[in-house]
Amino acid sequence: MRVLVTASSKHGATGGIAEEIGRVIGERGLDVRVLPIEDVTEVAGFDAFIVGSAVYAGRWMGEARRFDGD
């Protein structure tokens, strides 16, 4: 199974969490790609994806709210 892990991160902490998630699921035999959300150009070819975001004033960052994989 090929999995995309992506996150919107203002200061890098959320990106670090995405990296750790990718590492852990990769250790379990999945083919994982971890990318900053702004670098994702498409989701074709992935069987699953995990999307995360830093939260400010109770809301996800704009890039994550707008993410649609295209």
Side-chain angles (χ1 to χ4, degrees):
M1 177 178 273
R2 189 154 190 246
V3 180
L4 169 67
V5 179
T6 186
S8 182
S9 183
K10 187 171 185 177
H11 298 290
T14 306
I17 293 168
E19 290 283 340
E20 182 65 9
I21 290 169
R23 184 189 66 75
V24 169
I25 63 176
E27 287 177 350
R28 283 148 178 84
L30 299 175
D31 178 13
V32 180
R33 180 88 192 260
V34 180
L35 293 171
I37 205 163
E38 61 271 10
D39 292 347
V40 176
T41 57
E42 64 180 350
V43 295
F46 290 99
D47 300 301
F49 49 91
I50 299 169
V51 180
S53 177
V55 177
Y56 294 94
R59 296 182 58 144
W60 274 23
M61 293 180 62
E63 297 92 354
R65 289 193 315 268
R66 292 185 295 273
F67 178 77
D68 66 3
D70 288 329

